[in-house]
Coordinates of all heavy atoms in Angstrom, one line a residue:
D563 N 12.9 12.9 11.6 CA 13.9 12.4 10.7 C 13.5 10.9 10.3 O 13.7 10.6 9.1 CB 15.3 12.5 11.2 CG 15.5 11.8 12.6 OD1 14.5 11.4 13.2 OD2 16.6 11.7 13.0
S564 N 13.0 10.2 11.3 CA 12.7 8.8 11.0 C 11.5 8.7 10.1 O 11.4 7.9 9.1 CB 12.4 8.0 12.3 OG 13.6 8.0 13.1
L565 N 10.5 9.5 10.3 CA 9.3 9.6 9.5 C 9.6 9.9 8.1 O 9.1 9.3 7.1 CB 8.3 10.6 10.1 CG 7.6 10.2 11.4 CD1 7.0 11.4 12.1 CD2 6.5 9.2 11.1
Y566 N 10.4 10.9 7.9 CA 10.8 11.4 6.6 C 11.6 10.4 5.8 O 11.5 10.2 4.6 CB 11.4 12.8 6.6 CG 10.5 13.9 6.8 CD1 9.4 13.8 7.7 CD2 10.6 15.1 6.1 CE1 8.5 14.9 7.9 CE2 9.7 16.2 6.3 CZ 8.7 16.1 7.2 OH 7.8 17.1 7.3
H567 N 12.6 9.8 6.5 CA 13.4 8.8 5.9 C 12.6 7.7 5.4 O 12.8 7.2 4.2 CB 14.5 8.3 6.9 CG 15.3 7.2 6.4 ND1 16.3 7.4 5.4 CD2 15.3 5.9 6.6 CE1 16.9 6.2 5.1 NE2 16.3 5.3 5.8
L568 N 11.6 7.2 6.2 CA 10.8 6.1 5.7 C 9.9 6.5 4.5 O 9.8 5.7 3.6 CB 9.9 5.7 6.9 CG 9.0 4.5 6.7 CD1 9.8 3.2 6.4 CD2 8.1 4.3 7.9
A569 N 9.4 7.7 4.5 CA 8.6 8.2 3.4 C 9.4 8.2 2.1 O 8.9 7.8 1.0 CB 8.1 9.6 3.6
R570 N 10.7 8.5 2.2 CA 11.5 8.7 1.0 C 12.2 7.4 0.6 O 12.2 7.0 -0.6 CB 12.6 9.8 1.2 CG 12.0 11.1 1.3 CD 12.9 12.2 1.9 NE 12.2 13.5 2.0 CZ 12.6 14.5 2.7 NH1 13.6 14.3 3.6 NH2 11.9 15.6 2.7
S571 N 12.9 6.7 1.5 CA 13.6 5.5 1.2 C 12.8 4.3 1.2 O 13.2 3.3 0.6 CB 14.8 5.4 2.2 OG 15.7 6.6 2.1
G572 N 11.7 4.3 1.9 CA 10.9 3.1 2.0 C 9.7 3.1 1.1 O 9.6 2.3 0.2
Y573 N 8.9 4.1 1.3 CA 7.6 4.2 0.5 C 7.7 4.9 -0.8 O 6.8 4.9 -1.6 CB 6.5 4.8 1.4 CG 6.2 4.0 2.6 CD1 6.2 4.6 3.9 CD2 5.8 2.7 2.5 CE1 5.9 3.9 5.0 CE2 5.5 2.0 3.7 CZ 5.5 2.6 4.9 OH 5.2 1.9 6.0
L574 N 8.9 5.6 -1.0 CA 9.1 6.3 -2.3 C 8.1 7.4 -2.5 O 7.7 7.7 -3.6 CB 9.1 5.3 -3.5 CG 10.0 4.1 -3.4 CD1 9.9 3.3 -4.6 CD2 11.4 4.5 -3.1
L575 N 7.6 8.1 -1.4 CA 6.6 9.1 -1.5 C 7.2 10.5 -1.6 O 6.5 11.5 -1.5 CB 5.6 9.0 -0.4 CG 4.8 7.7 -0.3 CD1 3.9 7.7 0.9 CD2 3.9 7.6 -1.6
D576 N 8.5 10.6 -1.7 CA 9.2 11.9 -1.8 C 10.6 11.7 -2.4 O 11.1 10.6 -2.2 CB 9.2 12.6 -0.5 CG 9.6 14.1 -0.6 OD1 9.2 14.7 -1.6 OD2 10.4 14.6 0.2
D577 N 11.1 12.7 -2.9 CA 12.5 12.6 -3.5 C 13.5 12.5 -2.4 O 13.6 13.4 -1.5 CB 12.7 13.9 -4.4 CG 14.0 13.8 -5.1 OD1 14.9 12.9 -4.8 OD2 14.2 14.6 -6.1
P578 N 14.3 11.4 -2.4 CA 15.3 11.3 -1.4 C 16.3 12.4 -1.3 O 16.9 12.7 -0.3 CB 16.1 10.0 -1.8 CG 15.0 9.2 -2.6 CD 14.3 10.3 -3.3
K579 N 16.5 13.2 -2.4 CA 17.4 14.3 -2.4 C 17.0 15.4 -1.5 O 17.8 16.2 -1.1 CB 17.5 14.8 -3.9 CG 18.2 13.8 -4.8 CD 18.3 14.4 -6.2 CE 19.0 13.4 -7.2 NZ 19.1 14.0 -8.6
N580 N 15.7 15.4 -1.2 CA 15.2 16.5 -0.3 C 15.7 16.3 1.2 O 15.6 17.1 2.0 CB 13.6 16.4 -0.2 CG 13.0 16.9 -1.5 OD1 13.7 17.6 -2.3 ND2 11.8 16.5 -1.8
N581 N 16.4 15.1 1.4 CA 16.9 14.8 2.7 C 18.2 15.5 2.9 O 18.8 15.4 4.0 CB 17.2 13.3 2.7 CG 17.1 12.7 4.1 OD1 16.5 13.4 5.0 ND2 17.6 11.5 4.3
A582 N 18.7 16.3 1.9 CA 20.0 17.0 2.0 C 20.0 18.2 3.0 O 21.0 18.5 3.6 CB 20.5 17.4 0.7
T583 N 18.8 18.8 3.1 CA 18.8 20.0 3.9 C 18.5 19.7 5.4 O 18.2 18.5 5.7 CB 17.6 20.9 3.4 OG1 16.4 20.2 3.5 CG2 17.9 21.4 2.0
N584 N 18.6 20.6 6.3 CA 18.4 20.5 7.7 C 16.9 19.9 7.9 O 16.0 20.5 7.4 CB 18.6 21.8 8.4 CG 18.5 21.6 9.9 OD1 17.5 21.1 10.5 ND2 19.5 22.1 10.6
I585 N 16.8 18.9 8.7 CA 15.5 18.2 9.0 C 14.5 19.2 9.5 O 13.3 19.1 9.2 CB 15.7 17.0 9.9 CG1 14.3 16.2 10.0 CG2 16.2 17.4 11.3 CD1 13.9 15.6 8.7
N586 N 14.9 20.2 10.3 CA 14.0 21.1 10.9 C 13.4 22.1 9.9 O 12.4 22.7 10.1 CB 14.7 21.9 12.0 CG 15.1 21.0 13.2 OD1 14.3 20.1 13.6 ND2 16.3 21.3 13.7
E587 N 14.1 22.2 8.7 CA 13.6 23.1 7.7 C 12.8 22.3 6.6 O 12.3 23.0 5.7 CB 14.8 23.8 7.0 CG 15.6 24.6 8.0 CD 16.9 25.1 7.3 OE1 17.2 24.8 6.1 OE2 17.7 25.9 8.0
Q588 N 12.7 21.0 6.8 CA 12.0 20.2 5.8 C 10.5 20.1 6.1 O 10.1 20.1 7.2 CB 12.6 18.8 5.7 CG 14.0 18.8 5.2 CD 14.5 17.3 5.3 OE1 13.8 16.4 5.0 NE2 15.8 17.2 5.6
F589 N 9.7 20.0 5.0 CA 8.3 19.7 5.2 C 7.8 18.9 4.0 O 7.9 19.3 2.8 CB 7.5 21.0 5.2 CG 6.1 20.8 5.8 CD1 5.9 20.5 7.1 CD2 5.0 20.8 4.9 CE1 4.6 20.3 7.6 CE2 3.7 20.5 5.4 CZ 3.5 20.3 6.7
L590 N 7.3 17.8 4.3 CA 6.8 16.8 3.3 C 5.3 17.0 3.1 O 4.6 16.9 4.1 CB 7.2 15.4 3.7 CG 7.1 14.3 2.7 CD1 8.0 13.1 3.2 CD2 5.7 13.8 2.5
H591 N 4.8 17.2 1.9 CA 3.3 17.4 1.7 C 3.0 16.7 0.4 O 3.3 17.1 -0.7 CB 3.0 18.9 1.6 CG 1.6 19.2 1.9 ND1 0.9 20.3 1.5 CD2 0.6 18.4 2.5 CE1 -0.3 20.3 1.9 NE2 -0.5 19.2 2.5
T592 N 2.3 15.5 0.5 CA 2.0 14.7 -0.7 C 0.7 14.1 -0.6 O 0.2 13.7 0.5 CB 3.1 13.7 -0.9 OG1 2.8 12.8 -2.0 CG2 3.2 12.7 0.4
Q593 N 0.0 13.9 -1.8 CA -1.2 13.2 -1.8 C -1.1 11.8 -2.3 O -2.0 11.1 -2.5 CB -2.2 13.9 -2.8 CG -1.9 13.8 -4.2 CD -1.1 14.9 -4.8 OE1 -0.3 15.5 -4.1 NE2 -1.3 15.2 -6.1
F594 N 0.2 11.4 -2.4 CA 0.4 10.0 -3.0 C 0.4 8.9 -1.9 O 0.8 9.2 -0.7 CB 1.8 10.0 -3.7 CG 1.7 10.8 -5.0 CD1 2.2 12.1 -5.1 CD2 1.1 10.2 -6.1 CE1 2.1 12.8 -6.2 CE2 1.0 11.0 -7.3 CZ 1.5 12.3 -7.4
L595 N 0.0 7.8 -2.3 CA -0.2 6.6 -1.4 C 0.7 5.5 -1.9 O 0.8 5.3 -3.1 CB -1.7 6.2 -1.4 CG -2.7 7.2 -1.2 CD1 -4.1 6.6 -1.4 CD2 -2.6 7.8 0.2
A596 N 1.2 4.7 -0.9 CA 2.0 3.5 -1.3 C 1.2 2.2 -0.9 O 0.7 2.1 0.2 CB 3.3 3.5 -0.6
L597 N 1.1 1.3 -1.8 CA 0.5 0.0 -1.5 C 1.6 -1.0 -1.3 O 2.5 -1.2 -2.1 CB -0.4 -0.4 -2.7 CG -1.0 -1.8 -2.6 CD1 -1.9 -1.9 -1.4 CD2 -1.8 -2.1 -3.9
V598 N 1.5 -1.6 -0.1 CA 2.6 -2.6 0.4 C 2.0 -4.0 0.5 O 0.8 -4.1 1.0 CB 3.1 -2.1 1.7 CG1 4.3 -3.0 2.2 CG2 3.6 -0.7 1.6
D599 N 2.7 -5.0 0.0 CA 2.2 -6.3 0.1 C 2.5 -7.1 1.4 O 3.1 -6.5 2.3 CB 2.7 -7.1 -1.1 CG 4.3 -7.4 -1.1 OD1 4.9 -7.2 0.0 OD2 4.8 -7.7 -2.1
K600 N 2.2 -8.3 1.5 CA 2.3 -9.1 2.7 C 3.8 -9.3 3.1 O 4.1 -9.6 4.3 CB 1.7 -10.5 2.5 CG 0.2 -10.4 2.3 CD -0.3 -11.8 2.0 CE -1.8 -11.8 1.8 NZ -2.4 -13.2 1.5
G601 N 4.7 -9.1 2.2 CA 6.1 -9.2 2.5 C 6.8 -7.9 2.7 O 8.1 -7.9 2.8
G602 N 6.1 -6.8 2.9 CA 6.7 -5.5 3.2 C 7.3 -4.9 1.9 O 8.3 -4.2 2.1
R603 N 6.8 -5.2 0.8 CA 7.3 -4.6 -0.5 C 6.3 -3.6 -1.1 O 5.2 -3.9 -1.2 CB 7.6 -5.7 -1.5 CG 8.5 -6.8 -0.9 CD 8.7 -7.9 -2.0 NE 7.5 -8.5 -2.5 CZ 7.4 -9.3 -3.5 NH1 8.5 -9.7 -4.1 NH2 6.3 -9.8 -3.9
V604 N 6.8 -2.4 -1.5 CA 6.0 -1.5 -2.1 C 5.7 -1.9 -3.6 O 6.7 -2.2 -4.3 CB 6.6 -0.1 -2.2 CG1 5.8 0.9 -3.0 CG2 6.9 0.4 -0.8
R605 N 4.5 -2.0 -3.9 CA 4.1 -2.6 -5.3 C 3.6 -1.5 -6.2 O 3.7 -1.7 -7.4 CB 3.1 -3.7 -5.1 CG 3.5 -4.8 -4.2 CD 4.7 -5.6 -4.8 NE 4.2 -6.4 -5.9 CZ 3.7 -7.7 -5.8 NH1 3.6 -8.2 -4.6 NH2 3.3 -8.4 -6.8
K606 N 3.0 -0.4 -5.7 CA 2.5 0.6 -6.6 C 2.3 1.9 -5.8 O 2.0 1.9 -4.6 CB 1.3 0.2 -7.3 CG 0.9 1.0 -8.5 CD -0.2 0.3 -9.3 CE -0.7 1.2 -10.5 NZ -1.8 0.5 -11.3
I607 N 2.4 3.0 -6.5 CA 2.1 4.4 -5.9 C 0.9 4.9 -6.6 O 0.7 4.8 -7.8 CB 3.3 5.3 -6.1 CG1 4.6 4.7 -5.6 CG2 3.0 6.7 -5.5 CD1 4.6 4.5 -4.1
Y608 N 0.0 5.6 -5.9 CA -1.3 6.1 -6.4 C -1.5 7.5 -5.9 O -1.0 7.9 -4.9 CB -2.5 5.3 -5.9 CG -2.4 3.8 -6.1 CD1 -1.7 3.0 -5.2 CD2 -3.0 3.2 -7.2 CE1 -1.5 1.7 -5.4 CE2 -2.9 1.8 -7.4 CZ -2.1 1.0 -6.5 OH -2.0 -0.3 -6.7
D609 N -2.2 8.3 -6.7 CA -2.6 9.6 -6.4 C -3.9 9.5 -5.6 O -5.0 9.1 -6.1 CB -2.9 10.5 -7.6 CG -3.1 12.0 -7.3 OD1 -3.8 12.2 -6.3 OD2 -2.7 12.8 -8.1
G610 N -3.9 9.8 -4.3 CA -5.0 9.6 -3.4 C -6.1 10.6 -3.6 O -7.2 10.5 -2.9
L611 N -6.0 11.5 -4.5 CA -7.1 12.5 -4.8 C -7.8 12.2 -6.1 O -8.8 12.9 -6.4 CB -6.5 13.9 -4.8 CG -5.8 14.4 -3.6 CD1 -5.3 15.8 -3.8 CD2 -6.8 14.4 -2.4
K612 N -7.4 11.2 -6.8 CA -8.0 10.8 -8.1 C -8.8 9.6 -7.9 O -8.3 8.5 -7.6 CB -6.9 10.6 -9.2 CG -6.2 11.9 -9.5 CD -5.2 11.7 -10.6 CE -4.5 13.0 -11.0 NZ -3.5 12.8 -12.1
K613 N -10.1 9.7 -8.2 CA -11.0 8.6 -8.1 C -10.6 7.3 -8.9 O -10.8 6.2 -8.4 CB -12.5 9.0 -8.4 CG -13.1 10.0 -7.5 CD -13.3 9.4 -6.1 CE -14.0 10.3 -5.1 NZ -14.1 9.7 -3.8
D614 N -10.2 7.6 -10.1 CA -9.8 6.4 -11.0 C -8.6 5.7 -10.4 O -8.6 4.4 -10.4 CB -9.5 6.9 -12.4 CG -8.4 7.9 -12.5 OD1 -8.2 8.6 -11.5 OD2 -7.8 8.0 -13.6
E615 N -7.7 6.4 -9.8 CA -6.5 5.7 -9.2 C -6.9 5.0 -7.9 O -6.3 3.9 -7.6 CB -5.4 6.7 -9.0 CG -4.8 7.3 -10.3 CD -3.4 7.8 -10.2 OE1 -2.7 7.4 -9.2 OE2 -3.0 8.6 -11.0
L616 N -7.8 5.6 -7.2 CA -8.3 4.9 -6.0 C -9.0 3.6 -6.3 O -8.9 2.6 -5.6 CB -9.2 5.9 -5.2 CG -8.5 7.0 -4.5 CD1 -9.5 8.0 -4.0 CD2 -7.6 6.6 -3.4
A617 N -9.8 3.7 -7.4 CA -10.5 2.5 -7.9 C -9.5 1.4 -8.3 O -9.7 0.2 -8.0 CB -11.4 2.8 -9.0
D618 N -8.4 1.8 -9.0 CA -7.4 0.9 -9.3 C -6.7 0.3 -8.1 O -6.4 -0.9 -8.1 CB -6.3 1.6 -10.2 CG -6.8 1.8 -11.6 OD1 -7.8 1.2 -12.0 OD2 -6.2 2.7 -12.3
M619 N -6.5 1.1 -7.1 CA -5.9 0.7 -5.9 C -6.7 -0.4 -5.2 O -6.2 -1.4 -4.7 CB -5.6 1.8 -4.9 CG -4.8 1.4 -3.7 SD -4.3 2.8 -2.7 CE -5.9 3.2 -1.9
E620 N -8.0 -0.2 -5.2 CA -8.9 -1.2 -4.5 C -8.8 -2.5 -5.3 O -8.7 -3.6 -4.6 CB -10.3 -0.7 -4.5 CG -10.6 0.5 -3.6 CD -12.0 0.4 -2.9 OE1 -12.6 -0.6 -3.0 OE2 -12.4 1.5 -2.4
K621 N -8.7 -2.5 -6.6 CA -8.6 -3.7 -7.4 C -7.2 -4.4 -7.0 O -7.2 -5.6 -6.8 CB -8.6 -3.4 -8.9 CG -10.0 -3.0 -9.3 CD -9.9 -2.6 -10.8 CE -11.3 -2.1 -11.3 NZ -11.2 -1.7 -12.8
D622 N -6.2 -3.6 -6.9 CA -4.9 -4.1 -6.6 C -4.7 -4.7 -5.2 O -4.1 -5.7 -5.0 CB -3.8 -3.1 -6.9 CG -3.7 -2.7 -8.4 OD1 -4.1 -3.5 -9.2 OD2 -3.2 -1.5 -8.6
I623 N -5.4 -4.0 -4.3 CA -5.4 -4.5 -2.9 C -6.0 -5.9 -2.9 O -5.5 -6.8 -2.2 CB -6.3 -3.6 -2.0 CG1 -5.6 -2.3 -1.7 CG2 -6.6 -4.3 -0.6 CD1 -6.4 -1.2 -1.1
R624 N -7.1 -6.1 -3.6 CA -7.7 -7.5 -3.7 C -6.8 -8.5 -4.3 O -6.8 -9.7 -3.9 CB -9.1 -7.4 -4.4 CG -10.1 -6.5 -3.7 CD -11.4 -6.5 -4.4 NE -12.3 -5.4 -3.8 CZ -12.8 -5.4 -2.6 NH1 -12.7 -6.4 -1.8 NH2 -13.6 -4.4 -2.2
I625 N -6.0 -8.1 -5.3 CA -5.1 -9.0 -5.9 C -4.0 -9.4 -4.9 O -3.7 -10.6 -4.7 CB -4.4 -8.3 -7.1 CG1 -5.4 -8.2 -8.3 CG2 -3.2 -9.1 -7.6 CD1 -4.9 -7.4 -9.5
L626 N -3.5 -8.4 -4.2 CA -2.4 -8.7 -3.2 C -2.9 -9.5 -2.0 O -2.2 -10.3 -1.4 CB -1.8 -7.4 -2.7 CG -1.0 -6.6 -3.7 CD1 -0.3 -5.4 -3.1 CD2 0.0 -7.4 -4.5
L627 N -4.2 -9.3 -1.7 CA -4.8 -10.1 -0.6 C -4.8 -11.6 -0.9 O -4.8 -12.5 0.0 CB -6.1 -9.6 -0.2 CG -6.2 -8.3 0.6 CD1 -7.6 -7.7 0.7 CD2 -5.6 -8.5 2.0
K628 N -4.9 -11.9 -2.2 CA -5.0 -13.3 -2.7 C -3.6 -13.9 -2.7 O -3.5 -15.2 -2.8 CB -5.6 -13.4 -4.1 CG -7.1 -13.0 -4.1 CD -7.7 -13.0 -5.5 CE -9.1 -12.6 -5.5 NZ -9.6 -12.6 -6.9
E629 N -2.5 -13.1 -2.8 CA -1.2 -13.7 -2.8 C -0.9 -14.5 -1.6 O -1.0 -13.9 -0.5 CB -0.1 -12.6 -3.0 CG -0.1 -12.0 -4.4 CD 1.0 -11.0 -4.6 OE1 1.7 -10.6 -3.6 OE2 1.3 -10.6 -5.8
K630 N -0.5 -15.7 -1.7 CA -0.3 -16.6 -0.5 C 1.1 -16.5 0.0 O 1.3 -16.5 1.2 CB -0.6 -18.0 -0.9 CG -2.1 -18.3 -1.1 CD -2.4 -19.8 -1.2 CE -3.9 -20.1 -1.2 NZ -4.2 -21.5 -1.3
T631 N 2.1 -16.5 -0.8 CA 3.4 -16.5 -0.4 C 3.9 -15.1 0.0 O 3.6 -14.1 -0.7 CB 4.4 -17.1 -1.4 OG1 4.3 -16.3 -2.6 CG2 4.0 -18.5 -1.7
E632 N 4.7 -15.0 1.1 CA 5.2 -13.8 1.6 C 6.6 -13.7 1.0 O 7.4 -14.6 1.1 CB 5.2 -13.7 3.1 CG 3.9 -13.7 3.7 CD 3.9 -13.6 5.2 OE1 5.0 -13.2 5.7 OE2 2.9 -13.9 5.9
A633 N 7.0 -12.5 0.4 CA 8.3 -12.3 -0.1 C 9.3 -12.2 1.0 O 9.0 -11.6 2.0 CB 8.3 -11.1 -1.0
P634 N 10.5 -12.6 0.8 CA 11.6 -12.4 1.8 C 11.9 -10.9 1.9 O 11.9 -10.2 0.9 CB 12.8 -13.2 1.2 CG 12.5 -13.3 -0.2 CD 11.0 -13.4 -0.4
R635 N 12.2 -10.5 3.1 CA 12.5 -9.1 3.3 C 14.0 -8.9 3.3 O 14.7 -9.5 4.0 CB 12.0 -8.6 4.7 CG 10.5 -8.7 4.8 CD 10.1 -8.2 6.2 NE 10.5 -6.9 6.5 CZ 9.8 -5.8 6.2 NH1 8.6 -6.0 5.6 NH2 10.2 -4.6 6.4
F636 N 14.5 -8.0 2.4 CA 15.9 -7.7 2.3 C 16.1 -6.2 2.5 O 16.7 -5.5 1.7 CB 16.4 -8.1 0.9 CG 16.3 -9.5 0.6 CD1 15.7 -10.0 -0.6 CD2 16.9 -10.5 1.4 CE1 15.6 -11.3 -0.9 CE2 16.8 -11.8 1.1 CZ 16.1 -12.3 0.0
A637 N 15.6 -5.7 3.6 CA 15.7 -4.3 4.0 C 16.5 -4.1 5.2 O 16.3 -3.2 6.0 CB 14.3 -3.7 4.1
N638 N 17.5 -5.0 5.4 CA 18.3 -4.9 6.6 C 19.7 -4.3 6.4 O 20.6 -4.3 7.2 CB 18.5 -6.3 7.2 CG 19.1 -7.2 6.2 OD1 19.5 -6.8 5.1 ND2 19.2 -8.5 6.6
G639 N 19.9 -3.6 5.2 CA 21.1 -3.0 5.0 C 22.1 -3.9 4.2 O 23.1 -3.4 3.7
L640 N 21.8 -5.2 4.1 CA 22.7 -6.1 3.4 C 22.4 -6.1 1.9 O 23.2 -6.5 1.1 CB 22.5 -7.5 3.9 CG 22.9 -7.7 5.4 CD1 22.6 -9.1 5.8 CD2 24.4 -7.4 5.6
F641 N 21.2 -5.6 1.5 CA 20.8 -5.6 0.2 C 20.3 -4.2 -0.2 O 19.9 -3.4 0.6 CB 19.7 -6.6 -0.1 CG 20.2 -8.0 0.1 CD1 20.1 -8.6 1.4 CD2 20.7 -8.8 -0.9 CE1 20.5 -9.9 1.6 CE2 21.1 -10.1 -0.7 CZ 21.0 -10.6 0.6
N642 N 20.4 -3.9 -1.5 CA 19.9 -2.6 -2.0 C 18.4 -2.6 -1.8 O 17.7 -3.5 -2.1 CB 20.2 -2.5 -3.5 CG 19.9 -1.1 -4.0 OD1 19.0 -0.4 -3.6 ND2 20.7 -0.7 -5.0
N643 N 17.9 -1.5 -1.3 CA 16.4 -1.3 -1.0 C 15.6 -1.3 -2.2 O 14.4 -1.6 -2.2 CB 16.2 -0.1 -0.1 CG 14.8 -0.1 0.4 OD1 14.3 -1.1 0.9 ND2 14.1 1.1 0.4

Side-chain angles (χ1 to χ4, degrees):
D563 56 350
S564 298
L565 288 161
Y566 280 42
H567 175 72
L568 185 62
R570 291 162 178 161
S571 300
Y573 296 126
L574 309 181
L575 294 178
D576 190 38
D577 187 346
K579 293 180 180 178
N580 292 337
N581 210 15
T583 57
N584 187 304
I585 187 65
N586 295 320
E587 299 173 359
Q588 295 178 36
F589 195 75
L590 195 160
H591 201 199
T592 178
Q593 75 265 30
F594 291 99
L595 312 171
L597 177 59
V598 183
D599 68 15
K600 296 176 182 178
R603 307 179 304 173
V604 176
R605 302 292 288 273
K606 196 170 178 181
I607 307 295
Y608 308 82
D609 188 324
L611 299 180
K612 294 183 178 179
K613 291 295 184 182
D614 58 335
E615 294 201 23
L616 290 169
D618 286 342
M619 186 173 75
E620 291 212 16
K621 293 177 184 177
D622 293 337
I623 289 170
R624 297 187 192 283
I625 290 173
L626 294 186
L627 285 169
K628 291 178 183 178
E629 288 187 346
K630 287 190 174 181
T631 56
E632 295 180 17
R635 297 178 59 89
F636 298 124
N638 56 4
L640 296 177
F641 297 85
N642 191 326
N643 191 43

